[in-house]
Amino acid sequence: MTPPQKLQGTQPLRQFQDRLATCVIVVGAMAVLAAILAIGVFLVWQSLPVLFIPLETTVAKLSVLAWGTLKAALATLLFAIPVALCAAVYTALYLPARWRSRIKPALEMMEAVPGVVVGFIAGVILAPWIEQHLASALALLIWPPLSALLAGLLWQTLTPHRLPFSQAWLWLIPWLLAMGWLALWAAPLIEHQLLGDDLRRLLETRLGVDYATRNALIVGMAMGFAVVPGIYALADDALSEVPTSLLEGAQALGADRWQTLWRVALPAAGPGIFSAVLIGAGRAVGETMIVLMASSNAALTSASPFEGMRTIAAAVAIELPEAAPMSSTYHLLIFAALVLFVFTFLVNTLAEVVRLRLRTRLQRRGGGA
Amino acid sequence: MSHNMAWRGLWPWLCAASVALSLLLLGLLLALLLSRGLGHFWPAPLEAVTLTSGETFAGEAIREAKLPDQPGHERLYFIGNRDSSEHDPHGARFRWINLETIAQRDTSARLVRLSRSPWGDFIGRLEALEQGGQRLEGDAAWQALSQALAQPENTRPDAQLMLQPLNGDAFMQPLEEVYRASRPNAMTWLAKVRYWGTGVGQFLSQGPRAANTGGGVWPAIFGTVVMVIVMSVIVMPFGVLAAIYLNEIAEQNRFTRLVRIGVRNLAGVPSIVYGVFGLGAFVYGIGSTLDEWFFSARLPSPTFGTGGLLWASLTLALLTLPVVIVATEEGLARIPDAQREGAVALGATRLETLTRVVLPMAAPAMLTALILAVARAAGEVAPLMLVGVAKLAPQVPIDATFPYLHLERKFMHLGYHIFDTAFHGDSMQAAIPLVYATALLLVLIVLVLNLTAIFLRHYLRRKRGQPC
């Protein structure tokens, strides 16, 4: 027991310390809030002079960049969405919890690989190789999914229920490696037999397609690699938050896994998956280093997957350090950054709201499970 | 209907394949970086090649490729000798040779490879070593050279080497410009391993040489570490204060919910936007004002009005703020209210509850937050391009002159070093092995940091008996 006199003696000091600490915490938090608000205020304030630039200049400059950004994001999502969503379905619905808790962090490691490294591999190593081996690259894109189906067919006919499907991902790694090697080996032969010439040269001479070494295809693959883990993690969360009682109920009523997935799990987790895709889109729109290194950075408005593009983020990174402060280019680029900021902020807010709504709804449906 | 059933059975295989594909790609990426990054330091055998035209040269075989437009193969040789190649006025250090034009290949044990400072590598024969009027030839010269290079750089004797390229005239080379020598063809396996080890060591401890095609990345490692430390010093107090405010002090109402969503969303704002803010607000805004007030004597050359360590750290601190707040708040929210109520019931003030009960329990979460922030900051390059990274910084940001830590200096960064060397070097081909090594280093740092954070989190959740 503390003697009362001593406690009384220190009481004002303790009270004072407590007030001081609370003040410090509140001031610190307000400083953080102010800094965050300052970003928005600064961007808006500095892009106001854009109003005095002739509208045509602004539109001419930004439309090209917007086109490039959308093209890059679209190419990315084309690669990323199927892989990420399929992987999420598999880990959330087919894998036992023990395996899932190991594979998920491993997949999330993909996100940790710095963009500059992915960009280097894509822009300096992959792009020149694909330029010389276009047919092989396309074969590598098409053949692995087909070979996975083939593996499934073989599995069903050769080993009826001998090995659990939950370990299929493990067996598929060497299988895909072998099939990739097969595609690399066979593609030049088929190309030679079927076309009689190099595919890229045929594209250029016969169809008049311009082929840039660093193009949308490369950007899509590289940025897809960077965006997959983000979409995957959120989609996996959404799918595994679907109450097991719902899935078990469906299966008790005689639905097979496929029906359970399409009729119960996906509709229930739909908004969550939607928000995962939105977050992925936000990431693809804002990614800078990969686009900078893996695209030609030429300001083009072509829809060809074999031509490059210049995105908003890349344009800001290249041009802003060289633009004179307070010049019209400077304000225009800051306006472009503001567009990026507002777009990603809105997309993320939408995704977050959808996700939170879904979570409360599912909790209610699952009876608080 | 049966067709439909078969499709249903196969569809999950696509899903399993996506998991396998993602893991495979990650593994391939790491394997590529590991093999190329570490393999670069392995002493490759040298060849003396005689062409059917009678020309001879010495080089290291790099790879083979099919000839374009005709049957047959060609091989890429690294020949070095940028200062003495006669046949190639542009000083190209690589040559593609059609395999059919090669008459003879010889792996003579006497071929030497010297790493030199201004001209890059030399591959050829060491004829003699002249030192103070004394002339050593052949093996004696090699012995003397090895002994001289084993000494520290400032105590090496003042000597001249007589070098004989296979495709040109002999010339004299001052010893002081040579920092490494090897005879890979004569090396035993053990010697190769030792050579590899010193190569890796030099890569980590020395500055870049010969236009980024040799030497190491020490200034970039140093710059990255200093920047990350300054950033952590700024971001941790503010991030933790904000998290404590949101979780412990503020009333949980619409406002805090809005702030929380806002903070979470900031994590998704592209990093380049932070760079724009850093350039406009810190560099051009605060920096130029500081220059006018305190450094007007040095104007028009800017002191703080240009990119530098302080602005880069501040920008990255803003960028990692959401990471710290979210991770710390997660830790705070996991502490049961009973703990706080117990402390208050015993008469503790809010400060005492915080410092004696809540913060010690949240310490691992704050550590996780710090690690995640550092991992994010170490790999981020785009904002740095705007606020203070340099291709080649003449001075490191910490030295022995007052005030020791120079916040206004530009610095080198591992990530930017990769970008710059891979895209803007004058000899990309020669620099790429080192870019691989740098990329490997960066990936390893970031992955190890992330793995630590994951394990820390996992361990914490398990300790509290919560499902992962």
Side-chain angles (χ1 to χ4, degrees), chain A residues 102-154:
Chain A
R102 280 177 203 168
I103 288 190
K104 207 178 170 200
L107 283 178
E108 282 169 341
M109 279 292 106
M110 282 168 78
E111 192 158 35
V113 177
V116 69
V117 174
V118 178
F120 161 67
I121 304 274
V124 179
I125 314 299
L126 201 61
W129 185 84
I130 289 185
E131 188 182 19
Q132 283 175 358
H133 307 85
L134 187 60
S136 308
L138 291 181
L140 273 183
L141 284 181
I142 298 164
W143 178 236
L146 293 179
S147 74
L149 292 179
L150 183 68
L153 213 63
L154 288 176

Side-chain angles (χ1 to χ4, degrees), chain B residues 16-50:
Chain B
S18 330
V19 174
L21 182 71
S22 309
L23 291 174
L24 188 65
L25 283 180
L26 183 64
L28 283 180
L29 178 83
L30 291 181
L32 177 76
L33 288 180
L34 271 173
S35 64
R36 295 289 177 86
L38 293 178
H40 165 63
F41 301 105
W42 190 256
L46 301 176
E47 286 177 10
V49 180
T50 312

Side-chain angles (χ1 to χ4, degrees), chain B residues 126 129 131 136 139-153 155-157 159 161 175 181:
Chain B
L126 173 68
L129 184 139
Q131 183 185 347
L136 300 167
D139 274 342
W142 171 251
Q143 299 290 345
L145 176 62
S146 315
Q147 274 171 16
L149 287 178
Q151 291 166 12
E153 216 157 307
T155 58
R156 280 176 200 164
L161 306 176
L175 176 67

Side-chain angles (χ1 to χ4, degrees), chain B residues 370-411:
Chain B
L370 176 66
I371 294 172
L372 285 177
V374 167
R376 174 94 202 265
E380 205 62 72
V381 180
L384 296 181
M385 291 168 71
L386 301 180
V387 291
V389 87
K391 287 167 190 271
L392 199 65
Q395 297 157 310
V396 287
I398 294 184
D399 60 22
T401 56
F402 186 79
Y404 309 119
L405 173 63
H406 301 273
L407 289 173
E408 80 284 0
R409 279 187 190 164
K410 286 187 187 285
F411 60 100

Side-chain angles (χ1 to χ4, degrees), chain B residues 63-104:
Chain B
R63 64 167 190 270
E64 284 183 21
K66 268 174 79 169
L67 279 170
D69 306 326
Q70 46 180 316
H73 286 74
E74 56 183 351
R75 189 182 291 138
L76 180 66
Y77 278 100
F78 173 73
I79 49 178
N81 304 7
R82 202 161 56 140
D83 43 351
S84 69
S85 20
E86 277 181 5
H87 59 91
D88 222 337
H90 308 297
R93 284 172 283 177
F94 288 86
R95 259 182 98 173
W96 282 102
I97 302 291
N98 187 336
L99 288 195
E100 282 164 21
T101 62
I102 295 178
Q104 196 194 346

Side-chain angles (χ1 to χ4, degrees), chain B residues 59 64 88 141 148 179 193 262 279 299 308 315 343 376 455 461:
Chain B
E64 284 183 21
D88 222 337
Y179 57 95
V193 171
L279 181 72
L299 282 174
T315 308
R376 174 94 202 265
F455 279 118
R461 288 183 189 181

Side-chain angles (χ1 to χ4, degrees), chain A residues 14 18 86 125 155 258 349, chain B residues 8 11 18 265 347 351-352 436:
Chain A
R14 287 174 67 208
D18 191 45
C86 283
I125 314 299
W155 185 290
W258 170 258
T349 311
Chain B
R8 276 184 199 174
W11 198 81
S18 330
N265 288 352
L351 175 66
E352 284 159 354
Y436 270 119

Side-chain angles (χ1 to χ4, degrees), chain A residues 14 18 21 36 42 83 86 107 112 116 120 124-125 153 155 201 214 256 258 261 293 316 321 344 348-349 352, chain B residues 8 10-11 13 15 18 22 69 264-266 268 270 276 280 347 350-352 386 415 423 432 435-436 446 450:
Chain A
R14 287 174 67 208
D18 191 45
I36 291 170
F42 165 83
V83 176
C86 283
L107 283 178
V116 69
F120 161 67
V124 179
I125 314 299
L153 213 63
W155 185 290
R201 234 185 340 250
R214 295 176 183 145
D256 59 18
W258 170 258
L261 174 69
M293 296 170 90
V316 170
T344 48
N348 288 344
T349 311
E352 185 76 10
Chain B
R8 276 184 199 174
L10 289 185
W11 198 81
W13 283 88
C15 298
S18 330
S22 309
D69 306 326
R264 258 174 211 279
N265 288 352
L266 273 187
V276 171
R350 183 186 270 151
L351 175 66
E352 284 159 354
L386 301 180
F423 278 81
I432 279 184
V435 179
Y436 270 119
V446 175
N450 271 294

